[in-house]
Amino acid sequence: QVQLEESGGGLVQAGGSLRLSCTASGRTLRRYAMAWFRQAPGKERKFVAAINWSGGNTDYTNSVKGRFTISRDNAKNTLYLQMNSLKPEDTAVYYCAASPGLGATTMEDLYDYWGQGTQVTVSS
């Protein structure tokens, strides 16, 4: 079992930055691909960014490319999402997830473990 806990969410003005963290316990993250998803009010949860087990391969949804950076520190069992140039449409609950597959994937169904989420609100 892998337990995931997100932190770093909050309220920020448009154009600002936030850094989300996801700390894992129970098992080492070295054996898992990781990802961030988000769910805006009244909408389905959607893929944001993914990273493979080593951190050498990443993938992003088009709307965050060039603004968000996903990274990981396997020694600290932690996943990060650096979010810059935030927009009101980035407002959502952000979830981290772990997949036992080693490659980065956008497919939500392949992620077995999920955190409880952290709220990000971007004001205009």
Side-chain angles (χ1 to χ4, degrees), residues 4 19-25 27-36 51-58 69-82:
L4 302 173
R19 188 195 196 199
L20 304 184
S21 298
C22 172
T23 302
S25 60
R27 286 186 181 179
T28 176
L29 285 184
R30 294 179 191 274
R31 298 179 181 273
Y32 295 87
M34 302 292 295
W36 291 95
I51 189 167
N52 75 329
W53 71 276
S54 68
N57 185 35
T58 58
T69 302
I70 188 172
S71 62
R72 65 192 296 164
D73 186 337
N74 287 340
K76 294 183 178 180
N77 245 21
T78 302
L79 174 74
Y80 303 99
L81 185 67
Q82 178 66 44

Side-chain angles (χ1 to χ4, degrees), residues 37 45 98-100 105-114:
F37 289 78
R45 188 161 58 188
S99 169
T105 177
T106 65
M107 298 180 65
E108 184 172 343
D109 290 347
L110 295 182
Y111 289 89
D112 291 346
Y113 303 103
W114 294 82

Side-chain angles (χ1 to χ4, degrees), residues 83-106:
M83 305 187 294
N84 299 328
S85 303
L86 282 161
K87 304 175 181 180
E89 50 264 44
D90 294 318
T91 295
V93 177
Y94 283 71
Y95 299 90
C96 68
S99 169
L102 299 180
T105 177
T106 65

